[in-house]
Amino acid sequence: MAEVRDVAIVGAGLLGLAAARALTARGRDVILLEQATVGHAGAGSKGSCRIFRLGYPDPAYVTAARRAGELWRELEEESGRQLRWPTPHLTFGTGLRDVQHALQAAGAPCEPLRAAEVAERFPDIRVDGPALLETESAVLAADVALDALARLGGELCTGTRVLSIADDDTHVTLHTSAGPVTARTAIVTAGPWSRGLLAPLGVLAPTTPTLEQIGYLRPTGTPTRPDSGRTPIFICHEDPAPYGLPVPGSPLYKIGIHDSGDATDIDAQDRSPDRDLVDRLSRVAERLLPGYDPEPAVTERCVYDNTPDEDFIVDRIGNVVIGCGTSGHGFKFGPLLGEWLADLATGATNGPEPPLRERFAARRFRPAG
Ligand SMILES: Cc1cc2nc3c(=O)[nH]c(=O)nc-3n(C[C@H](O)[C@H](O)[C@H](O)COP(=O)(O)OP(=O)(O)OC[C@H]3O[C@@H](n4cnc5c(N)ncnc54)[C@H](O)[C@@H]3O)c2cc1C
């Protein structure tokens, strides 16, 4: 009989890599199958940076983000790499009060600021109303984090596509472009590709990939040092929600508008710039970022893996563990998602703690009745 691995993971994006690292740390034999390369152009985890913030309008997410923050610090220590660039974070817009209440309910520090105080402390950003300052926030060096995780977890097989998965209640067999792989447990962390892999197993993961538009702005004057603390991260909690963050080690400032891209065919992504979306980014820059040229110096497209409710999917069905549907806000939770997936794979716990366990369950998508 072919070698039986403890755990086979499908997809070496952030979630797959984080799960592999968590399982390897627990002494499990792990194989990680990636159809392309780590952080490739079509993956949701690609690029230089992501926002780490606690500011959610929901105390359960705030608590999870705080725990994830501790785990990011541990990963930094273990890998010896700088993954977090501590950076103040400003929340503003119509959703500010909900975020403030959730932060307070979860016991997370935050400081309300008037617009004039924002102007004085953060001249790179212009707001026309109150804001909320977070200090436990950071810019995550996303590409460095993927590389650090890849060095800490299991056997990584790039260029190996999983074609189908069969669970016979004892073992899981993955049919791949390089031949079959058998494992006691499989973890599907294939981002927007998960839906198609899971459907033949009878698991409904109704996610929709969208192609988002990012812009990188150049400062018009002398660039503020990215680590000066004067250029904050921001999220305007409105619908749609613009956001921005300084790029670690660069004068550029990254901006986007959360969930503004169109649905895409995941295997035929047209990653050329969307002129309408780039124009919307320029209008955000004109309104909020006085120190930057509003025409992006660089543009980038990147896929979101959206669930209908923006909650993630973290669950186990039979011998298959599922981690997907991160809906454009999963990176900050990376090491925590890795621990939850490892818990589910080893049977240590049922993964996320309530109330997120129920909210992240795949069964929430089962048709009623
Ligand atoms: C523009 C943008 C901005 C974002 N900003 C933030 C932010 O500021 N803060 C934050 O917290 N989050 C943010 N996110 C979200 C975050 O990046 C994602 O939630 C996270 O990276 C998703 O990781 P993943 O591992 O689920 O998916 P992916 O990175 O897409 O990984 C899935 C992997 O599976 C592989 N795969 C798929 N099918 C197969 C198969 N059959 N066989 C083998 N391999 C397969 C793919 O090739 C891919 O590498 C952002 C996302 C985008 C796109």
Side-chain angles (χ1 to χ4, degrees):
M1 187 180 163
E3 183 190 7
V4 178
R5 314 296 295 251
D6 286 340
V7 184
I9 302 179
V10 188
L14 173 74
L15 271 64
L17 291 166
R21 177 239 179 183
L23 284 159
T24 303
R26 299 177 195 196
R28 295 305 202 277
D29 163 44
V30 178
I31 183 166
L32 184 50
L33 305 159
E34 166 56 49
Q35 62 182 355
T37 53
V38 171
H40 65 92
S45 304
K46 75 158 179 213
S48 59
C49 54
R50 295 288 189 276
I51 297 171
F52 177 87
R53 65 184 152 102
L54 304 182
Y56 273 82
D58 180 334
Y61 270 100
V62 177
T63 301
R66 287 195 99 181
R67 176 71 189 125
E70 292 165 10
L71 296 175
W72 278 113
R73 280 187 279 276
E74 286 176 26
L75 178 60
E76 263 190 330
E77 274 176 32
E78 188 183 345
S79 65
R81 315 273 294 272
Q82 182 174 3
L83 310 179
R84 301 168 317 115
W85 292 62
T87 309
H89 179 289
L90 289 174
T91 295
F92 47 90
T94 50
L96 178 144
R97 292 281 164 248
D98 290 341
V99 173
Q100 184 172 1
H101 290 149
L103 284 164
Q104 287 166 343
C110 61
E111 183 187 346
L113 296 180
R114 289 178 284 111
E117 291 173 307
V118 173
E120 195 180 315
R121 287 168 71 169
F122 304 108
D124 288 342
I125 194 154
R126 180 169 50 213
V127 298
D128 56 9
L132 195 64
L133 174 64
E134 268 185 54
T135 50
E136 288 186 15
S137 45
V139 176
L140 296 169
D143 46 3
V144 184
L146 294 190
D147 186 61
L149 286 166
R151 289 165 195 269
L152 293 170
E155 181 189 356
L156 172 61
C157 301
T158 54
T160 307
R161 181 161 197 163
V162 175
L163 307 169
S164 64
I165 303 171
D167 179 1
D168 70 5
D169 293 339
T170 314
H171 294 118
V172 186
T173 303
L174 299 95
H175 298 280
T176 85
S177 54
V181 173
T182 307
R184 287 181 185 82
T185 312
I187 301 183
V188 178
T189 46
W193 289 267
S194 305
R195 177 182 190 153
L197 284 168
L198 293 166
L201 295 166
V203 178
L204 196 58
T207 55
T208 308
T210 54
L211 198 52
E212 304 297 316
Q213 179 71 59
I214 296 300
Y216 293 88
L217 307 177
R218 215 185 283 289
T220 45
T222 310
T224 311
R225 278 169 46 104
D227 56 354
S228 67
R230 287 168 63 81
T231 310
I233 305 164
F234 80 84
I235 296 186
C236 177
H237 277 262
E238 284 170 6
D239 189 15
Y243 63 87
L245 59 157
V247 179
S250 158
L252 297 179
Y253 194 84
K254 174 178 171 178
I255 58 169
I257 301 173
H258 178 65
D259 200 15
S260 56
D262 287 333
T264 184
D265 175 342
I266 195 61
D267 285 312
Q269 301 173 27
D270 172 7
R271 288 193 289 274
S272 55
D274 179 313
R275 197 58 243 177
D276 286 348
L277 289 177
V278 173
D279 288 345
R280 284 177 66 187
L281 294 179
S282 293
R283 290 197 290 277
V284 167
E286 273 168 7
R287 189 179 129 209
L288 299 174
L289 298 162
Y292 291 86
D293 181 347
E295 180 63 25
V298 183
T299 62
E300 183 179 85
R301 309 298 299 273
C302 186
V303 280
Y304 272 14
D305 175 26
N306 302 289
T307 59
D309 52 15
E310 289 200 24
D311 283 333
F312 310 153
I313 304 176
V314 181
D315 204 345
R316 176 173 178 144
I317 313 274
N319 293 313
V320 178
V321 173
I322 305 145
C324 66
T326 52
S327 305
H329 65 115
F331 210 99
K332 66 185 70 60
F333 299 102
L336 181 59
L337 284 160
E339 293 298 333
W340 284 339
L341 294 168
D343 286 347
L344 285 163
T346 57
T349 72
N350 290 325
E353 274 142 36
L356 292 181
R357 183 177 301 161
E358 292 70 29
R359 288 176 51 185
F360 291 176
R363 78 185 75 86
R364 74 188 190 271
F365 300 117
R366 272 199 208 131

